[in-house]
Amino acid sequence: MKDKKPFSFSRRQFIDTAVKVSAVGGLAYIQMSGCGNEENEITPPPENKHVFLCKPYLHTLQHRQMCVRWITNKSSYSWVEYGDTEQLNQKAMHIEDGLVTTHERIHEIYLQNLEPGKTYYYRAASKEITEYNSLKTPFGETIYSSTYSFTTPDPAAREISWLVLNDLHDRPESFSELMELNSKDPYDFVFLNGDMFNYQSGEKQILEHLLIPCTDLFATQKPLLFVRGNHETRGNFAQRLKDYFAYPEGLFFHFHWGPVFAIVLDTGEDKGDDHPTYAGRANFNAYRREQTVWLEQLMQTDAYKNATYRVVMMHIPPFYCNQPSGEGEMHCNELFAPLFNQYKVDLVISGHTHKYGVHPPVSGKHNYPVIIGGGPKDNERTLMKIKANEKTLTVQMINDVNKPAGSYTIYA
Ligand SMILES: [Fe+2]
């Protein structure tokens, strides 16, 4: 497990105000008193209660395991109780180097050896540790989430569907407003295609502007996948983001589910590495080149070549960025676009430009459609609904006044 830091609020945010954060089973009161990362930044809720700061969220698309994450206000000994019935007869913890991870508030627990395509029930449990001592471990209160269920991906599934949101830019109300456009259509997971925030300022922002709305809406039962946009690379909490959202493969990753082989690229900053804003702290050119090597190796696998649909999701599109393009944007085009043609990508889904649109294939330029979601302002936001079966993959884009904003169909 990665080094998990407690709350971090900048000095600029030093305000003597208790902020209510909705939590499982009640409210947690977080007092923002930023002086670095000290644990004492957290003001306990009334009666010194140990509470969840968000409901548990599901975070992988693997056939035999599921990552469950959640956050508590105090360091705790945590586990997941789970099973294929609501009896929850199994228990999982995070064990590293012979020790159960206990001195954490961000809990990351993998349920292993699951059966593909099967429904499981689970609940999160956290037992407060009131004191660390070499000879004894005094425990405090144990808190439990509600019981939720999820279904593991089935590699042999004949169809899958997912929703895409992008470029919400710190507008948490957009989650419910856009998800409502889906009506009651079934879907398997939700993909957040970057720029969910303006810049990273701390855990409170991640909770209030993403985790709480998403767990209230879907993420307790449907996996939440997230890739960074260029705005998530900014701010003093940017490097902590992976504590909340990293995958087994890292910040760029792939998954193969039913007819779809999907590749997720972390396109980095849209500015050049030598941009004065970063003062020498950026090295995205090398990071994108690293992804290019990984990408080409992935595209040479039989699983990729034999997939019915090969889909790339990336925040910065390989084409159609606003002009004049930034150096990071041009680098995405230069590195990734030739590989997409060479290895016959079927579809690229992006955001970033804040101008939604469906760009059909242009022979020799991009032999695949590039579909770009909009945002973040009212009347410019979009929800994408993607459904793939053995015959077709369809993308339907709806704008936030519930009007069609573009669609595309790929035939197998
Ligand atoms: Fe962007």
Side-chain angles (χ1 to χ4, degrees), residues 20 39 47 72 92 105 115 128 163 218 273 300 342:
K20 283 183 183 176
E39 193 91 49
E47 298 170 10
T72 50
R105 294 187 313 99
E115 285 182 42
E128 180 193 356
L163 305 176
F218 64 86
D273 284 347
Q300 289 170 347
Q342 183 183 346

Side-chain angles (χ1 to χ4, degrees), residues 54 115 143 184 214 245 342:
C54 68
E115 285 182 42
I143 52 177
K184 288 193 165 50
C214 287
F245 299 111
Q342 183 183 346

Side-chain angles (χ1 to χ4, degrees), residues 255-327:
F255 59 87
H256 189 190
W257 186 351
V260 173
F261 191 107
I263 295 170
V264 177
L265 295 173
D266 182 1
T267 47
E269 178 55 83
D270 59 357
K271 299 172 176 36
D273 284 347
D274 58 356
H275 194 277
T277 309
Y278 279 90
R281 294 180 295 114
N283 195 15
F284 290 105
N285 285 351
Y287 181 57
R288 280 185 288 263
R289 280 195 290 272
E290 176 193 338
Q291 290 179 72
T292 308
V293 173
W294 169 83
L295 174 64
E296 188 157 20
Q297 286 172 351
L298 204 54
M299 289 172 149
Q300 289 170 347
T301 61
D302 288 341
Y304 174 86
K305 288 184 205 164
N306 297 331
T308 310
Y309 309 104
R310 296 174 284 267
V311 177
V312 173
M313 295 190 282
M314 55 197 291
H315 177 73
I316 296 176
F319 297 92
Y320 307 109
C321 285
N322 299 326
Q323 297 298 324
S325 295
E327 286 179 36

